[in-house]
Amino acid sequence: MGTRLSDSEQYAHLWGTPELAKVFEERARLQSWLDIVTALAVAQARLGIIPDEAAVQIASHARAHELDLDFLASETRRTSHSMLGLINALQQLLPDVAREHVYVGATVQDVTDTWFALVMRDVGTVVWRDLCAIEDRLLALAVEHRDTLMVGRTHGQAGSPITFGFKAASWADEVRRHLQRLSEGRPRWLVGQLGGAVGTLGFFAPRGAELRAEFCTELGLADPGISWLTSRDRIAEFGALLAMICGTLARIGNEVYELQRPEIGELREPTTKDTVGSITMPHKRNPEGSEHLDTVARLVRANAQVLTEGMVAGHERDGRTWKAEWVALPEACLLTGVALEMALRLLSGLVVDAAAMRSNLDRYGDQLASEQMLAGLTRRLGRNAAQRLMHELLAPGSRDVHDVFDALLAEGAATEQDRQAWTTWMVGDAGRMVDEVVARARAARTTEPDPWN
């Protein structure tokens, strides 16, 4: 029975996905550890360090579902050692010929650090797949709404016009950079660990480096070239990328959260007839998904910070660093999984109200064309004089100018011939930038692998 709210049957769907839960569930974790122990035995047998028959027996009996978990847990507590419980439980299943050849010369970190490489491979595959799907949806929104006018906002206030396609393209471009980071980081992260006591592979001398290479190959991982017992930058980097990905998804969620407000009403997240916004205020349609993306991102950032703290490690081994990772990395991975799932669902059903976007533009009269009016005045009067005049017309508390161009006419600063050029909604190069983002992303996808490899 789970003791954390995030593990409960009632709320678990908010803090992880069944797919990633299978990576971190106890028997799945134990099976990964057994696979690593088996790979070590196979590599050792190949180099004649242990008998071939011992490796065969270890491989055939290393099955998590056959382990006595109660015995495993009690042995872990009795010995106060992180791996002996598993080793003793496995030895219970083995014939005499193999028992003494389990885990020869290895350490806890050899198993758990290598497990993290396998975890990053599994989680990275899911993140890559879901980010690609999110990018597809964002690109579709960018194309569909390339010319859909809306208010551009800075500091929470109405600024100059933009298009919704421009906004969606900005999101897509950020997602594209995360995909690039995943591609670039893969060869750094997916490396095995076989260091022995202090990282020198002294137990296996003079064939330690050869054994490590065989061990990594057996697991489909790269050889790190040097032990990384206290070099925790790989884990920290992966966690930081998860935090950045969730930050991007929270940025998107925050936009939907803000623009769904009834007084704005430009976006709405999908809902169903069964969704209850408020028990006491039945009219409400709360942006639960958008809001939760921000909640999850905060937790992932917190866990990523723990992983970054682990980079400050002592000497050749320091349990304070990698044991904290045992909690922080799985949490960050599970939370990222649910953020990706929720963001994809949000974007797949996102309601874009183009009419509301246009209506919000119109309510400001021609005020939101002030940037292009300033540009026209600058060419005519010079920068300083143009800025001074516009400030005098629009300064807070001076006068409520709804029709700025008419005020400029009255001041003799504009002519009727300027009206169309100065007051038609202009969005600069927004459309060109949308086209560039879409073309760049689609070109990249033609050369990228479908799965993350």
Side-chain angles (χ1 to χ4, degrees), residues 178-200:
H178 292 321
L179 290 169
Q180 291 169 343
R181 292 179 180 107
L182 278 168
S183 292
E184 294 162 0
R186 194 178 198 280
R188 287 195 295 274
W189 306 324
L190 305 191
V191 299
Q193 173 82 284
L194 186 62
V198 292
T200 64

Side-chain angles (χ1 to χ4, degrees), residues 336-355:
T336 301
V338 81
L340 289 162
E341 184 180 84
M342 190 166 290
L344 185 55
R345 186 165 59 247
L346 168 68
L347 292 168
S348 296
L350 185 66
V351 178
V352 180
D353 193 333

